[in-house]
Amino acid sequence: PQATSLYPPTFTFSNGAPFASYSIADFPTTASFCDSDDGNTTNQFTAARAGPSEVCDPATCVSGLPHHSIQCRAGLNDKAILLKGKLGTYWSKALGTPAWAQFVFPAVPEGSDEFHFRFTLDSRYRPELYGGNACDIGDGEQCVLCTGDVWDYTIQPGVFLLWSAAGRDIFVIDEVLGGLGEAWDDKDLVQTVKVPDELELEVGEFPVVTLMTFSQYSGYGEVPDQSKCSTLYSNNSTHPNKDKAIMLTTTSLLYRTPLPLLTTPELKHPRLYGTDTQWLAEHVTPFFTTPCDNMTHNNVGWFGEKGYWTARGHFDLAARGFKSCEGQSQPVLGLDGWYSLEEYFDVGGSGYPEKDVGGFRAFHLLRRLWACFDSGRGGCEYGEEETEVLANAVAKGEMLRFAATMWSCGGSCGGNGDAAFDLTAAEKVSYFTHFYDVLISRKGNDELLSVEDAVSISEKLEDQIDLFISAFWTGGWQLWNGNNWTPHLCVAAIEWAIVFWHEHNTKATEVLRIANDIMWLHRNYYTDDGVYVEGVAMYTYMSMEGMMAMASLCRASFGFAPTAIDVGTLKKTAGFIISSMATDGYLIDFGDAHRKRGFGNPMAVVEAVIADVAVNGGTVTGGSTSAVIDSIQARAFAASLYGSSGIYSNPWRVRGHVLQFDEIVGLRDPPKYPSRPLGGPRVDLFSSGGYARILTPLLDEVVNAPCFGGDDGANKELCIDPTLPSLADNIPYSSISLQARDNKYAHSEVDFSTLIWSAWGTRLLSEFGYGTISTSVQKWDMRRYAYLDNNPAGHNTVVIREAFPSDDDTTMNFSQLNFVPGTISELILEDTNNNDHSPNHCILMDGSNPYGANRSDGWLDIMKRYVCSFTGGTNLILDILQTKANREPMRLYGSQYGGPDFEETIPAAQRLTLDEYFYTNTAAEIEVVDGVAVEKPFVAGSIKRCSHVNVEVRDGHDGGTTAVDLKPACGIGSYRAADGNGLIAGISVGGQGSFVYDGLVTSVDRWFTPHALKQRRFRFVSDNKVGPEGDIRAFVLASYPVTQNTTNVHLTNCALSLGCGSTTDFDQPIVCSCVQACVSDKVSWIIVLDGALSLMRRVGMCDGSSGSVNLDTDIVSGIQLELGFPNITPAPTGSPTEGPTKNPSRIPTAEPTLAPTISCRKQQVRFSVELETDEKGEDTTWFLKMKKKNGFQNKLKGKNLASNKLYRREICIKKKKCYKFIIKDAKRDGLCCSHGQGYYKITRNGKVLENSTYNNDKPSEIRKFGCKQ
């Protein structure tokens, strides 16, 4: 029953996976130690328990511990469970009684038949387990030891493992597990032990594993001087720490199920992808027989041509070396033939292609040719004589490559220098496995691959596979972190298992099982809405490549694809990848992702779209797959293609099923309007994956296809083709990509709410992208804060100045918290005053918790960033910010993991300096002068493709709005000038705000090269610090074509015109704020109430040049009525107030009675609150709540009140509804009369309901009205 309560029946493993690894760690919260009265059992049932307790007496316990006291033999050392061999420290004697740690694991799921217990030794302390005979004097002799009770000299060094299940009354006990000290010496900290078969665990039972020491002396050597009776004294002091028998940081239980094989590989080589007949039929012949398609082209997108992606053309280049559908001829085999194979014939060169892809192409060609010759059908691509020459050259050259191969990437990819199955090892295993499989098939020709060469290759590959197996059983991070490495490594291991299935069957079977098991960990890197959490390039690409290769290989050889591959999720991944392409034609590079040009690996998208076919076989059935992406997404995919480059240039990974992509109905439907080739406004939200994109067209809906740039050579003209996609399709769009991913994942950064903005084919706001590797994936690991590109100060987000360690350190910032997620959601605000009646779509990123709302020492109570589609093709960023009241000093400790600590000075800042950071690209070369990086002059047109943006700040004086002009030097494509510019205008309603240009900002890269990363930065800063009253920052992102000289955005404070001062606390922007935006010729109001965006509404017309406005009084009155504000005559038409106006303080009136200032609808009445605070206004809060079906809900509230101040609020409420008014005082001393003369009065329709001084010690007063008895 206790185990059932610990793991309820609803507990499941990895979405019902047939493999699971359940870990018990974080022992401060998951373990209990010796906490009962009798000292031998624990009162609290937890996943981990440890003990026992011992009574301290003179014979066993010295060193100052009280005699007859109860002492625990187990405990915590930091986060590790410690089992001790004695009580006390220095002079204590060793105890023969066992110390133990017991672990209870979840119930056995259906189908599991094999279990393994794994534990991790603490890296700080060597296990001190020397057995009952701790002297090096031979077996059978008792050496002189310092022991305190009955001692068994026959016990061997090590620990005992006791196996059972919850509810059983017996244990299965293994022999002592020794060698742990030696394993620790060799840094083999992870130990795995198979659960004995005789335990016979049944489905539903909870496995229990007990690790026990018994008569384990904690020092090596004899203690000849019994007057110095201590385990610290011996005649051999090899290991100094002799009071720590063993320390464990993590324990796990692996649950495995049988892997049923429907088929097995054929005996005859080649074996990869099935027999020759099967391989040709599925992955070769279809490409030869598929007709050419005049709507496709190999050089679509960035290579300048128009058209859709071509599967046949892709295969032609990868496997045949020419474009058969574009009139090119088949190359010859020789020195001046196919460029990928030329080096095999170059006697003066290395003898083999520099890149592995040349070899893969050669192996693919040889298999095709030999299969063709063996079939006797004729019509082969090359003759037998040519083929023999090529085969001999390949065999000779590849053996030279084999001799020169490095089999590990070592420290450059995270290793420690020891041999490991890493990225490089996997690539080499895959490469030489293909080589062996193809060439060994021609055994009759000893000169082709000699017996000695075959043995050398086979033995080397097996050595590498042993490392793969070892990584699984020892918890090697390269497999067990589950990230993009996992499928990359597993596919190479599966290839080896297929090729050597009959020669090493037992090992090959285990390799196949390991790969299928460990892939369940990788599955968790995909969220349910299709986001791969490490980013697109190169991580999603590596994941998709590995999984799809595994599926095809396993299906051909074993009759099934790995069940860990989630087809339903992968189909959604297609949309995620496409939406991760900005309209500048480059991939989004949040986190450690790469800013790659175009879709360089198109097969990732194609195979995601047809994932059901790619994984499980079969054919596309039109309607079943057609809904995965639409024609607009398919066109966007084609428009940003980057040739046929990338990892899929390996022809073995171009599989026949990709041809079915073109059979999906409707993917080539033309756009409705040529001016909008990628469709109308679009919001792509992936809430589980923490990603969103807002796509905004910049041109009106017209039937004429536009062109961009001049056809003068220096500024190449690009024109949209309504029929065929091209790179030009990206130009007339603005795209904003938003990051709200949980930063617990590998390759994520502390960058909540950052964004990337592109418009007119150019990236205007950018990221550092792939820089220092953000590998820390532990809650308290602060290493990622140490580098600018990983912490908030390196991103387009809100940065707290007080979160820098010092005024001099502007690279390390702790504004956001590690391992604390925020949320992302969509908000749609209707605006019936729009001519097209289209709503405003907003993405809300709530970062309150990442900024510390759930901590007493957090920075902010509210941090909400709204990013919205806005008027005239612009976008709005709205930041709602509120500093936490009565906050404590922030404390973060990361030094225990090698990262920085942060300690805020005392007392904690109660008002914070909040800045918005913005980064943009520079392509200028830099030079370092006196240790400072300086940009050299940049010449536009000097680079084929550049991303370089000039920043010009408008100071906002003389009646203007503070703004920044962003003027790119280059446009999309090659040697093209920019097609458009950008502008960001900003306002702070809580104080004067302005933009500051910081210029060049640099950082190190992953190899810690100084100034390797470079960006330009500007910031929006406020003259006022922000307290609990909060602040609202609004930014309009506008872009305009270069044919238009400039654009203007005017932002002013409209709180007075709205009526905030009559019904709300005017000193609190967080409660009520209004921003008026004049964009082009339209003026809109953006209204914030009670810490949330409540309304965006067009309210009139304006002059875009001067900013003068003409408000529509009917619309304004309607808004005021809708929100319950008094009808106040709007400010007169004219120029805007000079600079953003701070919310003015309302001077309280002396009259005790509040005169009516608002008119309510027929079914409404006025409700008013009049309240004067005492000398402790911050203690008082009040609420007006209306009764609904699910209880009372807030309609009005007051908090964070100033002292000795009169407040008045008025609102229209419903006549026939039940309400209650609640007033609270945190210190229970009311409003009068201990600390001043306060009072409150509430009225309904002019009738006084309550007039009170709240002079009592009650925590609250409540007054209900309008309620039925």
Side-chain angles (χ1 to χ4, degrees):
Q2 291 173 306
T4 303
S5 65
L6 192 63
Y7 303 109
T10 55
F11 182 88
T12 59
F13 290 116
S14 300
N15 304 314
F19 166 79
S21 171
Y22 186 85
S23 295
I24 302 175
D26 193 18
F27 293 127
T29 58
T30 59
S32 52
F33 304 87
C34 304
D35 59 352
S36 68
D37 293 336
D38 61 14
N40 291 309
T41 59
T42 57
N43 289 328
Q44 180 185 6
F45 190 84
T46 52
R49 298 184 297 164
S53 292
E54 303 275 359
V55 177
C56 191
D57 60 44
T60 62
C61 187
V62 290
S63 188
L65 294 177
H67 291 171
H68 308 297
S69 64
I70 296 177
Q71 301 294 326
C72 191
R73 290 271 301 280
L76 278 174
N77 188 310
D78 192 15
K79 295 186 178 182
I81 287 181
L82 164 65
L83 299 184
K84 295 180 286 188
K86 59 180 182 174
L87 297 177
T89 56
Y90 199 77
W91 292 109
S92 299
K93 301 177 181 181
L95 300 177
T97 54
W100 53 267
Q102 187 176 85
F103 307 95
V104 182
F105 292 96
V108 174
E110 188 76 36
S112 293
D113 72 337
E114 184 182 316
F115 312 92
H116 297 263
F117 175 64
R118 194 170 69 195
F119 60 92
T120 305
L121 301 171
D122 193 295
S123 62
R124 298 171 296 174
Y125 299 104
R126 187 183 195 273
E128 304 297 336
L129 301 161
Y130 299 100
N133 190 9
C135 307
D136 189 16
I137 56 178
D139 295 335
E141 295 188 43
Q142 294 183 9
C143 63
V144 179
L145 301 175
C146 184
T147 61
D149 56 3
V150 178
W151 191 263
D152 188 337
Y153 286 88
T154 67
I155 300 299
Q156 297 299 308
V159 296
F160 289 93
L161 291 175
L162 286 65
W163 312 92
S164 191
R168 296 192 188 182
D169 57 3
I170 60 171
F171 289 95
V172 173
I173 304 178
D174 272 350
E175 293 293 328
V176 67
L177 177 64
L180 296 181
E182 291 75 13
W184 188 92
D185 293 337
D186 294 335
K187 300 182 180 179
D188 295 332
L189 302 181
V190 178
Q191 300 293 307
T192 304
V193 183
K194 188 176 185 295
V195 177
D197 293 336
E198 54 264 37
L199 184 61
E200 296 182 347
L201 287 170
E202 297 181 359
V203 173
E205 283 194 303
F206 297 86
V208 178
V209 183
T210 305
L211 188 146
M212 187 181 78
T213 64
F214 177 68
S215 288
Q216 291 292 323
Y217 200 74
S218 54
Y220 182 60
E222 196 165 22
V223 184
D225 186 355
Q226 288 290 293
S227 66
K228 295 182 177 180
C229 185
S230 168
T231 58
L232 294 180
Y233 277 86
S234 73
N235 59 6
N236 189 318
S237 57
T238 303
H239 305 293
N241 299 304
K242 295 173 181 169
D243 63 341
K244 298 175 177 63
I246 188 170
M247 289 178 61
L248 309 177
T249 59
T250 306
T251 62
S252 307
L253 195 71
L254 277 59
Y255 303 71
R256 305 184 83 191
T257 57
L259 189 65
L261 304 180
L262 304 180
T263 62
T264 57
E266 294 289 333
L267 184 62
K268 182 180 182 299
H269 288 280
R271 297 171 182 168
L272 293 172
Y273 297 99
T275 64
D276 280 344
T277 301
Q278 183 180 358
W279 176 66
L280 288 172
E282 293 184 10
H283 301 301
V284 178
T285 304
F287 291 106
F288 283 80
T289 58
T290 296
C292 295
D293 184 347
N294 60 9
M295 294 188 73
T296 67
H297 200 283
N298 274 90
N299 294 332
V300 174
W302 276 93
F303 283 18
E305 298 294 338
K306 300 177 180 180
Y308 289 91
W309 179 75
T310 166
R312 172 170 172 166
H314 195 96
F315 177 85
D316 277 351
L317 277 178
R320 306 176 70 191
F322 71 106
K323 305 172 187 177
S324 63
C325 288
E326 296 178 23
Q328 294 184 357
S329 301
Q330 176 175 285
V332 299
L333 296 182
L335 188 60
D336 296 319
W338 188 2
Y339 63 90
S340 288
L341 311 182
E342 284 182 333
E343 290 171 273
Y344 285 123
F345 304 97
D346 185 1
V347 295
S350 63
Y352 53 87
E354 177 183 358
K355 296 182 178 179
D356 288 355
V357 67
F360 278 122
R361 289 170 172 174
F363 312 153
H364 197 275
L365 176 59
L366 287 173
R367 184 175 183 180
R368 297 199 316 263
L369 292 171
W370 285 331
C372 181
F373 300 150
D374 292 346
S375 70
R377 68 172 185 269
C380 304
E381 298 170 72
Y382 295 95
E384 293 192 47
E385 188 174 321
E386 292 175 283
T387 303
E388 183 178 355
V389 173
L390 173 64
N392 280 284
V394 169
K396 180 180 178 181
E398 292 304 331
M399 289 310 300
L400 293 173
R401 186 199 298 269
F402 178 77
T405 292
M406 299 293 294
W407 291 85
S408 173
C409 51
S412 66
C413 61
N416 59 7
D418 295 338
F421 197 82
D422 54 27
L423 291 179
T424 296
E427 290 163 2
K428 299 309 177 185
V429 167
S430 177
Y431 186 86
F432 285 107
T433 296
H434 281 80
F435 171 64
Y436 182 93
D437 188 41
V438 173
L439 268 71
I440 203 69
S441 67
R442 319 308 281 187
K443 285 185 177 180
N445 188 346
D446 287 341
E447 293 182 1
L448 198 58
L449 192 62
S450 69
V451 173
E452 293 80 5
D453 289 344
V455 170
S456 295
I457 296 171
S458 175
E459 290 180 347
K460 186 63 177 180
L461 293 175
E462 187 177 6
D463 289 343
Q464 299 302 309
I465 289 301
D466 286 342
L467 294 174
F468 174 82
I469 296 172
S470 175
F472 179 77
W473 290 115
T474 61
W477 65 268
Q478 61 266 50
L479 277 181
W480 282 92
N481 64 9
N483 73 348
N484 63 92
W485 279 44
T486 302
H488 199 72
L489 272 54
C490 285
V491 68
I494 287 177
E495 288 168 340
W496 178 90
I498 293 170
V499 171
F500 292 93
W501 184 262
H502 297 285
E503 293 75 16
H504 303 286
N505 182 257
T506 300
K507 186 173 292 186
T509 302
E510 176 64 3
V511 165
L512 180 65
R513 191 174 184 185
I514 288 173
N516 277 266
D517 284 349
I518 204 70
M519 281 298 295
W520 283 97
L521 301 184
H522 183 66
R523 179 175 174 138
N524 295 329
Y525 271 75
Y526 285 86
T527 59
D528 57 14
D529 49 13
V531 172
Y532 185 74
V533 294
E534 291 186 289
V536 175
M538 299 293 295
Y539 309 113
T540 306
Y541 288 163
M542 289 178 64
S543 170
M544 290 292 299
E545 175 204 14
M547 286 193 296
M548 293 308 172
M550 289 172 66
S552 291
L553 287 161
C554 288
R555 198 172 64 246
S557 294
F558 307 109
F560 67 93
T563 54
I565 301 176
D566 185 354
V567 168
T569 296
L570 291 186
K571 293 168 77 170
K572 299 174 186 176
T573 301
F576 164 63
I577 298 175
I578 292 172
S579 70
S580 295
M581 180 63 68
T583 54
D584 61 347
Y586 285 82
L587 283 167
I588 297 301
D589 54 346
F590 290 139
D592 282 335
H594 297 253
R595 181 178 176 263
K596 289 289 186 178
R597 184 183 304 117
F599 293 107
N601 303 84
M603 291 267 285
V605 174
V606 172
E607 291 191 296
V609 171
I610 60 168
D612 42 2
V613 173
V615 174
N616 298 317
T619 58
V620 169
T621 57
S624 66
T625 309
S626 59
V628 175
I629 62 172
D630 55 34
S631 60
I632 292 298
Q633 290 171 297
R635 184 174 179 119
F637 166 59
S640 291
L641 282 169
Y642 188 61
S644 294
S645 62
I647 48 182
Y648 290 106
S649 54
N650 174 358
W652 296 90
R653 302 287 171 87
V654 186
R655 294 166 281 272
H657 52 242
V658 298
L659 289 162
Q660 299 187 50
F661 179 77
D662 290 337
E663 298 177 20
I664 301 174
V665 176
L667 290 191
R668 295 185 183 179
D669 291 347
K672 185 176 181 180
Y673 298 100
S675 61
R676 294 183 169 185
L678 304 184
R682 183 185 188 110
V683 175
D684 296 299
L685 173 62
F686 303 85
S687 55
S688 297
Y691 176 74
R693 182 190 67 162
I694 300 175
L695 184 70
T696 305
L698 300 175
L699 296 179
D700 294 333
E701 298 173 340
V702 296
V703 296
N704 296 324
C707 293
F708 307 96
D711 193 14
D712 58 1
N715 191 10
K716 298 179 181 178
E717 186 178 58
L718 295 180
C719 296
I720 291 173
D721 186 327
T723 305
L724 298 175
S726 69
L727 194 61
D729 291 354
N730 291 285
I731 297 175
Y733 285 89
S734 166
S735 67
I736 297 184
S737 293
L738 306 170
Q739 161 74 347
R741 179 178 57 190
D742 189 345
N743 62 31
K744 70 180 181 182
Y745 296 108
H747 295 293
S748 61
E749 297 174 349
V750 191
D751 60 352
F752 188 87
S753 78
T754 191
L755 54 90
I756 291 174
W757 177 36
S758 298
W760 297 106
T762 303
R763 188 161 299 191
L764 298 173
L765 293 179
S766 55
E767 283 272 304
F768 278 109
Y770 185 81
T772 54
I773 299 296
S774 185
T775 55
S776 51
V777 288
Q778 299 183 58
K779 185 175 183 179
W780 305 113
D781 192 335
M782 304 295 175
R783 285 176 293 166
R784 53 174 44 145
Y785 285 101
Y787 304 104
L788 179 64
D789 64 306
N790 290 337
N791 70 55
H795 297 90
N796 301 311
T797 189
V798 176
V799 176
I800 301 167
R801 287 193 213 173
E802 288 78 5
F804 288 105
S806 67
D807 293 339
D808 297 329
D809 186 350
T810 59
T811 61
M812 192 186 306
N813 184 267
F814 296 83
S815 297
Q816 299 179 20
L817 298 172
N818 204 25
F819 262 60
V820 179
T823 61
I824 185 170
S825 57
E826 185 175 8
L827 174 69
I828 300 177
L829 297 173
E830 299 291 340
D831 185 355
T832 56
N833 299 319
N834 275 345
N835 294 333
D836 58 3
H837 299 286
S838 59
N840 293 301
H841 289 262
C842 297
I843 296 296
L844 164 60
M845 295 177 286
D846 190 337
S848 301
N849 285 338
Y851 280 85
N854 56 355
R855 292 173 53 134
S856 60
D857 62 351
W859 301 108
L860 304 180
D861 260 340
I862 297 178
M863 186 282 172
K864 296 178 181 177
R865 170 165 281 189
Y866 295 84
V867 182
C868 310
S869 57
F870 199 46
T871 181
T874 64
N875 294 99
L876 171 74
I877 300 175
L878 187 75
D879 288 341
I880 301 178
L881 310 170
Q882 181 187 38
T883 298
K884 179 180 284 292
N886 302 315
R887 54 177 303 274
E888 299 172 3
M890 173 65 79
R891 295 287 187 270
L892 297 171
Y893 302 105
S895 55
Q896 58 184 323
Y897 294 100
D901 295 332
F902 178 81
E903 294 190 40
E904 186 182 359
T905 56
I906 299 175
Q910 301 302 311
R911 302 186 66 79
L912 299 174
T913 310
L914 308 180
D915 299 338
E916 276 85 356
Y917 277 42
F918 299 95
Y919 285 89
T920 191
N921 284 318
T922 175
E925 294 182 0
I926 65 172
E927 59 181 346
V928 179
V929 180
D930 297 329
V932 178
V934 180
E935 288 185 88
K936 295 181 179 180
F938 178 76
V939 180
S942 60
I943 305 176
K944 183 177 182 180
R945 304 181 184 103
C946 86
S947 186
H948 182 85
V949 179
N950 293 309
V951 179
E952 299 175 6
V953 175
R954 303 183 191 180
D955 59 19
H957 294 162
D958 301 324
T961 296
T962 182
V964 171
D965 285 294
L966 301 173
K967 297 184 176 180
C970 307
I972 195 170
S974 302
Y975 297 109
R976 293 190 70 252
D979 294 295
N981 299 317
L983 177 136
I984 302 178
I987 186 175
S988 163
V989 303
Q992 179 70 35
S994 60
F995 284 103
V996 176
Y997 181 48
D998 294 329
L1000 178 67
V1001 177
T1002 67
S1003 183
V1004 299
D1005 60 9
R1006 64 163 299 184
W1007 295 279
F1008 305 105
T1009 307
H1011 312 298
L1013 307 179
K1014 57 183 180 180
Q1015 294 274 286
R1016 289 172 164 178
R1017 185 175 70 201
F1018 56 98
R1019 294 174 289 127
F1020 182 83
V1021 302
S1022 174
D1023 294 338
N1024 294 333
K1025 295 188 175 184
V1026 179
E1029 78 283 353
D1031 192 15
I1032 312 300
R1033 314 276 180 84
F1035 304 92
V1036 173
L1037 279 60
S1039 61
Y1040 55 96
V1042 291
T1043 54
Q1044 176 183 326
N1045 289 331
T1046 188
T1047 191
N1048 294 291
V1049 172
H1050 302 274
L1051 302 175
T1052 54
N1053 192 328
C1054 53
L1056 282 174
S1057 298
L1058 174 64
C1060 287
S1062 299
T1063 63
T1064 62
D1065 297 314
F1066 217 8
D1067 282 342
Q1068 298 187 61
I1070 201 77
V1071 176
C1072 181
S1073 290
C1074 178
V1075 173
Q1076 179 172 286
C1078 168
V1079 180
S1080 298
D1081 60 348
K1082 301 174 181 65
V1083 61
S1084 302
W1085 277 6
I1086 303 122
I1087 298 173
V1088 173
L1089 298 176
D1090 293 326
L1093 173 60
S1094 297
L1095 183 144
M1096 293 170 62
R1097 192 72 53 83
R1098 191 168 298 171
V1099 294
M1101 305 300 290
C1102 66
D1103 185 326
S1105 298
S1106 66
S1108 61
V1109 301
N1110 183 13
L1111 298 180
D1112 187 318
T1113 55
D1114 291 337
I1115 295 176
V1116 171
S1117 298
I1119 291 173
Q1120 293 168 335
L1121 190 62
E1122 178 182 341
L1123 300 179
F1125 286 94
N1127 188 350
I1128 299 175
T1129 303
T1133 302
S1135 299
T1137 305
E1138 185 172 325
T1141 306
K1142 180 182 177 182
N1143 276 10
S1145 300
R1146 183 185 56 78
I1147 301 174
T1149 59
E1151 293 84 357
T1153 303
L1154 178 67
T1157 59
I1158 62 173
S1159 57
C1160 298
R1161 296 177 180 176
K1162 186 176 182 181
Q1163 299 301 319
Q1164 295 179 325
V1165 294
R1166 288 191 311 275
F1167 173 83
S1168 64
V1169 180
E1170 182 175 319
L1171 181 147
E1172 185 170 351
T1173 57
D1174 60 7
E1175 295 172 357
K1176 295 187 176 182
E1178 68 274 10
D1179 293 345
T1180 304
T1181 56
W1182 60 264
F1183 307 88
L1184 175 66
K1185 297 175 177 281
M1186 185 177 76
K1187 187 175 183 180
K1188 293 192 173 183
K1189 290 182 180 180
N1190 57 349
F1192 282 88
Q1193 296 185 2
N1194 278 342
K1195 298 299 291 182
L1196 201 62
K1197 63 183 177 181
K1199 63 178 182 177
N1200 299 321
L1201 305 180
S1203 299
N1204 297 319
K1205 185 168 182 177
L1206 179 65
Y1207 291 90
R1208 289 172 176 167
R1209 301 285 294 273
E1210 193 171 38
I1211 192 174
C1212 294
I1213 63 174
K1214 296 181 179 180
K1215 283 183 179 180
K1216 298 182 180 181
K1217 286 290 185 179
C1218 172
Y1219 293 86
K1220 66 178 177 180
F1221 177 83
I1222 306 169
I1223 185 169
K1224 299 181 178 181
D1225 190 276
K1227 299 295 176 58
R1228 293 195 175 196
D1229 57 9
L1231 294 172
C1232 183
C1233 298
S1234 301
H1235 302 285
Q1237 304 291 321
Y1239 73 94
Y1240 75 92
K1241 179 170 66 175
I1242 57 174
T1243 64
R1244 179 182 183 273
N1245 205 25
K1247 180 182 178 181
V1248 176
L1249 300 175
E1250 194 74 49
N1251 189 351
S1252 171
T1253 59
Y1254 188 5
N1255 183 12
N1256 55 59
D1257 60 358
K1258 296 179 181 179
S1260 65
E1261 288 188 353
I1262 302 175
R1263 178 68 158 87
K1264 285 188 176 181
F1265 57 93
C1267 305
K1268 295 180 180 180
Q1269 300 298 324

